[in-house]
């Protein structure tokens, strides 16, 4: 009875699933799923057939880790491409979400969809559903953008081609003569199988008074059997087929390449600071910020590319690269006339002939005082003021009619008669109106003002009568 149990245990321990690289190191070839090849030692894990999610090296759901193992590629490549596809059209989220739902782990037979249908709802299944729904929503919003969809399809095809090529390059060419020679060769003598576990201690006889014949009782078992495949012994004792737990059979996780994510972040921070500092004095604010963010993004890209060959970077580097790309896109939307130095400028023309047709200021406070300009009835004067970021204030005489055209990218507009505390900051503010002369001030000429502020406040005030 004990020898039969040992033999059965040894046979059951030979089933399971594992990493193809573990199988290559053992010197065997993967047979059908859950079965060992003839030349494999007893107890060696077997690689799963087809695409399965990898539990050991997963970041979220193990989809990219499984793709990397299936295609013999670094999973970081799949993570980067799927992140790009998620941001540009939602295809990355759709693929990841449905793969998470329908592809089981390499040590399981049930996928997340089957668990949902049987009422076993957990966080992983809900996260997979969320990924799929968000991806479908982003994809539907991008249906009218043919450029983004074309880019996503091209990147998807390139990734699929790279995965196919990487998988095929490791397949050895079949030599017909060698295959025939192997088929005709007699089978090699093999050593008898070694039991993967020992006879169950609970099969020892029990005396009627409850004592146990042996070194221990039922609760913990003999000390030398600790850590052995007790679960398989229980299944065999009950007569049920046992499935080898790949997590128990695999050894400790091998130490991977050295992580370089911290160095990549420090170098990106340094490159961004140097790029911004080098262009701060002679460039506009938008150009300077874009230069620094572009330098940081280049460092992140090079670091992630280098990690495919030397060292590894985590999901933090990919997240920081995406954040940097988003900041770069926001910096590109900044007004191009915002400078990096804050200045206070006053323009005080003494007569109508001294008034320029256009006044400009990059960043700061610009004040145009027209109170000294004396316009007769029927005389018209036109001028414009543009400020990139800051405030523009125009003071007009009390007896003139003002035709005003104001545009503020993000900020506030102050008109005569409004309180200083009445500030309404909003994007894309514009106003076009005519301000009559102040009461009791007589009738003078007309001033046409065109005010434009990228970020800040535009104010028009009347001089005291």
């Amino acid at each position: 009875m004990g020898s039969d149990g040992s033999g059965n245990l040894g046979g059951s321990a030979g089933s399971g699933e594992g990493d193809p690289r573990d199988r290559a190191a053992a010197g065997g070839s993967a047979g059908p799923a859950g079965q060992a090849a003839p030349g494999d030692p007893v107890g060696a894990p077997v690689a799963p057939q087809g695409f399965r999610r990898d539990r050991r090296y997963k970041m979220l759901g193990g989809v990219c880790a499984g793709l990397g193992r299936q295609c013999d590629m670094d999973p970081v490549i799949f993570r980067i491409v799927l992140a790009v596809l998620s941001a540009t059209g939602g295809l990355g989220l759709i693929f990841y979400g449905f793969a998470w739902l329908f592809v089981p782990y390499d040590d399981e037979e049930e996928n997340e969809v089957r668990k949902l249908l049987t009422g076993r709802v957990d966080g992983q299944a809900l996260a997979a559903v969320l990924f799929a729904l968000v991806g479908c929503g982003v994809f539907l919003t991008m249906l009218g953008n043919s450029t983004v969809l074309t880019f996503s399809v091209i990147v998807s095809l390139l990734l699929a081609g790279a995965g196919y090529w990487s998988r095929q390059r490791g397949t050895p060419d079949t030599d017909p003569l060698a295959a025939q020679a192997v088929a005709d060769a007699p089978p090699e003598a093999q050593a008898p199988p070694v039991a993967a576990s020992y006879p169950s201690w609970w099969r020892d006889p029990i005396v009627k008074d409850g004592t146990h014949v042996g070194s221990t009782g039922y609760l913990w078992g003999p000390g030398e059997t600790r850590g052995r495949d007790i679960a398989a012994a229980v299944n065999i004792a009950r007569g049920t087929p046992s499935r080898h737990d790949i997590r128990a059979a695999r050894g400790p996780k091998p130490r991977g390449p050295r992580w370089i994510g911290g160095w990549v972040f420090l170098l990106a921070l340094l490159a961004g600071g140097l790029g911004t500092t080098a262009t701060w004095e002679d460039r506009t604010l938008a150009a300077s910020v874009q230069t620094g963010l572009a330098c940081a993004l280049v460092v992140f890209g090079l670091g992630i590319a280098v990690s495919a060959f030397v060292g590894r970077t985590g999901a933090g580097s990919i997240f920081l690269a995406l954040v940097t790309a988003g900041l770069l896109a926001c910096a590109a939307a900044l007004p191009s006339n915002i400078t990096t130095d804050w200045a206070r400028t006053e323009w005080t023309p003494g007569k109508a002939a001294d008034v320029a047709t256009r006044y400009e200021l990059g960043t700061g406070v610009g004040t145009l005082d027209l109170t000294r300009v004396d316009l007769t009835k029927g005389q018209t004067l036109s001028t414009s003021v543009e400020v990139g970021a800051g405030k523009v204030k125009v003071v007009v005489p009390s007896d003139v009619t003002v035709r005003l055209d104001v545009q503020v990218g993000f900020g506030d507009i102050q008109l005569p008669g409004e309180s200083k505390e009445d500030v309404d900051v909003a994007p894309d503010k514009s106003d076009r109106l005519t301000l009559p002369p102040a009461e009791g001030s007589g009738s003078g000429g007309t001033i046409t003002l065109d005010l434009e502020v990228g970020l800040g406040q535009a104010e028009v005030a009347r001089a005291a009568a």
Side-chain angles (χ1 to χ4, degrees), residues 168-192:
Q168 294 299 321
R169 67 176 179 174
T171 304
D173 296 333
T174 304
D175 188 355
L177 298 179
Q180 185 64 32
V182 171
D184 296 339
E188 297 181 0
Q190 299 182 1

Side-chain angles (χ1 to χ4, degrees), residues 23 26-29 36-42 44 188 190:
R23 300 280 296 109
S29 58
D40 290 344
V42 178
E188 297 181 0
Q190 299 182 1

Side-chain angles (χ1 to χ4, degrees), residues 331-345:
L334 290 175
S336 59
N337 57 351
I338 299 179
T339 57
T340 57
D341 55 336
W342 184 273
R344 288 183 174 271
T345 305

Side-chain angles (χ1 to χ4, degrees), residues 11-19 23 30-37 40 43-49 52 106-109 242-247 249-250:
S12 66
S15 63
E17 299 170 350
D19 197 304
R23 300 280 296 109
Q35 300 180 4
D40 290 344
V46 182
Q49 292 294 315
R52 292 292 185 96
D106 47 10
D107 57 343
E108 294 181 354
E109 296 298 331
S242 63
R243 180 176 61 85
H244 183 67
D245 192 351
I246 190 170
R247 289 170 289 180
R250 288 170 177 161

